[in-house]
Amino acid sequence: TYSVFPLVPQRVISQCNDPEIFEKMTNQNSFTRWYCDVLGGDLYPLVFCFLLTNICFWIGNSSAVKFKLFKVTQEKQFLICTIIRLIFMVPYFFFRRENYDGVSFFSYDLTFIIYTAFYNLSHGYFIALGLDHTMQLCRSPEEQTTLSNLTAWMLTLSAFVGAILTYPMAWIIDHT
């Protein structure tokens, strides 16, 4: 996740940047004209890549406390759902970019918006639920302290590894 999301806001562009699509969309109605003029331009990465990502992550994070789909004892199901999220990163390579028009329905802004919302809701949810479950499995305050320190270290390590993997991912995106 840390290696994909720094790239998505930098590379994804709106379908309004395509002159043919822009002409069709702006002739339809006032909303599509407003969308292409305001959100489809320079604000597209800010609104749909940064704000939408963070707001959906926050909602997913907050909802994990109230809606627990997995019990602490359902470790295998939780692990499977968490690992499947890695597969969900692959479609980000098929969305519209400056050097690529996107594949089929991945070329539309609405697909990107829905997919980004779903992905980040699940991302926030599974992170918060995982942290909640691990704290519940601790038997003593010493284990909780150790787990807290280990969690902080792992988050730092994952951010570092993600930052390093950003460069090869950028090369893959630019050359596909």
Side-chain angles (χ1 to χ4, degrees):
T1 302
Y2 286 121
S3 62
V4 171
F5 275 107
L7 293 173
V8 172
Q10 293 174 0
R11 303 295 198 269
V12 172
I13 60 170
S14 172
Q15 67 191 31
C16 295
N17 290 342
D18 186 340
E20 292 177 21
I21 294 175
F22 179 77
E23 187 68 32
K24 289 177 188 175
M25 288 183 72
T26 54
N27 290 334
Q28 288 181 358
N29 61 41
S30 61
F31 175 75
T32 55
R33 190 176 310 111
W34 174 83
Y35 172 79
C36 280
D37 289 342
V38 177
L39 295 179
D42 293 336
L43 290 178
Y44 185 79
L46 173 67
V47 172
F48 296 115
C49 297
F50 181 73
L51 290 176
L52 181 68
T53 296
N54 288 312
I55 289 170
C56 289
F57 179 80
W58 176 73
I59 291 170
N61 225 326
S62 302
S63 64
V65 176
K66 296 181 185 201
F67 307 107
K68 295 185 180 181
L69 298 178
F70 300 97
K71 296 178 183 173
V72 177
T73 57
Q74 294 175 305
E75 296 150 355
K76 290 179 184 174
Q77 294 90 335
F78 180 71
L79 181 63
I80 289 169
C81 287
T82 304
I83 291 174
I84 285 175
R85 289 192 53 264
L86 294 174
I87 297 168
F88 287 154
M89 283 194 293
V90 173
Y92 277 108
F93 291 100
F94 299 114
F95 285 107
R96 179 183 294 273
R97 311 184 288 274
E98 290 177 6
N99 62 345
Y100 182 65
D101 287 337
V103 174
S104 182
F105 65 93
F106 287 110
S107 64
Y108 297 109
D109 291 356
L110 185 60
T111 307
F112 178 76
I113 292 165
I114 292 169
Y115 194 81
T116 298
F118 169 75
Y119 184 80
N120 287 296
L121 281 168
S122 68
H123 181 61
Y125 180 81
F126 284 118
I127 284 179
L129 195 63
L131 292 173
D132 183 53
H133 283 322
T134 53
M135 285 304 214
Q136 290 178 16
L137 293 172
C138 293
R139 294 183 186 96
S140 68
E142 292 82 21
E143 284 183 357
Q144 288 181 345
T145 303
T146 303
L147 180 66
S148 297
N149 291 333
L150 185 61
T151 301
W153 186 82
M154 290 303 288
L155 286 172
T156 304
L157 179 66
S158 64
F160 177 72
V161 169
I164 289 173
L165 289 176
T166 297
Y167 296 104
M169 297 292 265
W171 186 87
I172 290 169
I173 286 177
D174 290 341
H175 293 88
T176 56

